[in-house]
Amino acid sequence: NVLDVPFVIVRRDLKITEGSTVSVNYVSGSSDRIEKMFLSKRSLKPNSRVLIVDDFLKGGGTISGMISLLKEFESELVGVAVFAENAQKEREHLFDYKSLLTVSEIDVKNNLVKVELGNIFQ
């Protein structure tokens, strides 16, 4: 616990050990399908201030789902941080975010991935 704040994991699969949970449906940016995410009721206190951290931002569906989940806990979103974002994917700007890296080109045929600094450095 480096920052002396709680760390909470939102899950896509329901674990029996989680106890009672709150769930929301969201549209996955990677599959364009409706998915469900779960958060244990005991993992987040009401009226918490929350920083969402995600590994890869494609369309923004997962983060939008997490924001909806926060509303169920009457908690406040204070920021969104992502490790990398896909610059090639069009997304609605439903939330502000900071990214460390931007994947600007993916060429599967030639095994090429072009990565640039993310928007946090702008």
Side-chain angles (χ1 to χ4, degrees), residues 45-102:
K45 295 177 185 171
N47 303 310
S48 294
R49 293 172 37 85
V50 177
L51 169 67
I52 293 176
V53 180
D54 202 3
D55 56 354
F56 191 74
L57 174 60
K58 189 172 179 185
T62 302
I63 292 173
S64 293
M66 288 185 204
I67 292 169
S68 295
L69 203 49
L70 291 182
K71 292 175 185 171
E72 296 295 321
F73 285 84
E74 298 176 0
S75 292
E76 176 188 359
L77 177 67
V78 295
V80 176
V82 297
F83 178 69
E85 67 174 302
N86 186 345
Q88 297 174 313
K89 178 72 175 173
E90 289 292 322
R91 70 181 70 89
E92 293 182 45
H93 292 286
L94 301 174
F95 51 85
D96 291 325
Y97 64 92
K98 296 295 181 189
S99 62
L100 291 175
L101 302 172
T102 298

Side-chain angles (χ1 to χ4, degrees), residues 10-14 21-29 31-39 60-73 94:
V10 174
R11 299 192 181 279
R12 291 192 180 129
D13 55 340
L14 187 57
T21 60
V22 174
S23 66
V24 295
N25 294 322
Y26 69 100
V27 178
S28 170
S31 66
D32 289 328
R33 294 188 327 207
I34 294 178
E35 304 278 351
K36 186 173 275 196
M37 65 176 63
F38 303 89
L39 185 58
T62 302
I63 292 173
S64 293
M66 288 185 204
I67 292 169
S68 295
L69 203 49
L70 291 182
K71 292 175 185 171
E72 296 295 321
F73 285 84
L94 301 174

Side-chain angles (χ1 to χ4, degrees), residues 87 99-105 114-119 121-122:
S99 62
L100 291 175
L101 302 172
T102 298
V103 178
S104 57
E105 182 180 344
K114 186 175 178 184
V115 177
E116 300 168 5
L117 292 177
N119 67 13
F121 299 103
Q122 295 174 354

